[in-house]
Amino acid sequence: MFWKKFRDGMVFGAGFALSLCVVSYLFFSTILTTELSRNDGPLEFELPQGSVLERPPKREEQFRDLTVEERIATSTVVANVVFTPGQDDSMRAVIQEILKLDEGTTFYYEEGDELPTMSFYPNESHHRGDGAIVFFIGSPATIKHAVYYTGQRIGGLGDMPLELLKEKCAETDNGGSTPAAS
């Protein structure tokens, strides 16, 4: 007797909840389509005088979509990092060469320093290659993007030769800045 009343109550409650959901959906979909159809033009608003509407910062996917030349021009620092075996079976990321350093950029590393965020412990399923080209932005410079290379070819840049990338960095160098830490 108890279970029959309990079951009947559950069936009634489920039916009531389902009908409430259907009615709410129909009600709100009708209201929203009516309101949206009234506003056919673009949304317009006024900014207070003197304010500036800034563009949102670029996402990683957008940086990857840039050409090599645009990546170099956007970066404040471009560094060539090589992987060398560490004492604890790790692969240390050591800055071999600073390919570009914009004048006035604060960069806390020098050639020969380890870049700890790029160091790793190798495993059988993942090999990062012989080194990486690391693009930094801002001042102080922070890592924005890295592409790995094996031998003298940079896979992440369409197998571009490493020497060609170095030439492009030299061409893009702003005002003849010297690769030295600030």
Side-chain angles (χ1 to χ4, degrees):
M1 179 101 168
F2 169 76
W3 292 111
K4 184 178 183 320
K5 285 187 178 187
F6 178 75
R7 184 192 61 188
D8 289 344
M10 290 297 289
V11 168
F12 174 78
F16 182 76
L18 181 63
S19 64
L20 183 63
C21 289
V22 169
V23 169
S24 298
Y25 171 77
L26 293 174
F27 177 74
F28 285 113
S29 66
T30 304
I31 287 177
L32 287 178
T33 50
T34 305
E35 286 299 316
L36 291 176
S37 65
R38 288 184 192 166
N39 186 9
D40 292 333
L43 295 176
E44 296 180 12
F45 57 93
E46 286 185 32
L47 292 173
Q49 190 166 358
S51 43
V52 177
L53 184 61
E54 294 182 12
R55 299 178 92 184
K58 290 187 173 186
R59 295 185 343 246
E60 183 71 21
E61 294 78 25
Q62 292 171 334
F63 190 84
R64 288 181 184 165
D65 292 339
L66 297 176
T67 65
V68 174
E69 293 82 5
E70 291 170 331
R71 291 182 201 187
I72 294 168
T74 303
S75 301
T76 54
V77 178
V78 179
N80 179 7
V81 173
V82 293
F83 299 124
T84 60
Q87 294 177 353
D88 60 350
D89 295 329
S90 67
M91 293 301 285
R92 295 178 56 235
V94 177
I95 297 177
Q96 180 179 22
E97 185 178 7
I98 297 173
L99 304 174
K100 175 189 175 192
L101 176 62
D102 281 354
E103 193 172 324
T105 299
T106 302
F107 187 55
Y108 298 118
Y109 296 97
E110 295 178 352
E111 292 177 359
D113 287 350
E114 180 180 0
L115 191 60
T117 55
M118 295 291 295
S119 296
F120 66 98
Y121 287 93
N123 62 40
E124 294 174 7
S125 64
H126 185 65
H127 185 266
R128 296 188 187 183
D130 300 326
I133 300 299
V134 185
F135 298 90
F136 295 81
I137 60 168
S139 182
T142 56
I143 295 175
K144 178 67 176 172
H145 183 66
V147 288
Y148 299 99
Y149 65 85
T150 301
Q152 294 298 309
R153 297 282 180 171
I154 308 167
L157 298 178
D159 277 346
M160 173 185 283
L162 188 55
E163 285 304 315
L164 179 59
L165 178 77
K166 290 179 182 182
E167 290 173 17
K168 290 181 180 290
C169 286
E171 292 170 4
T172 313
D173 201 4
N174 295 343
S177 61
T178 56
S182 294

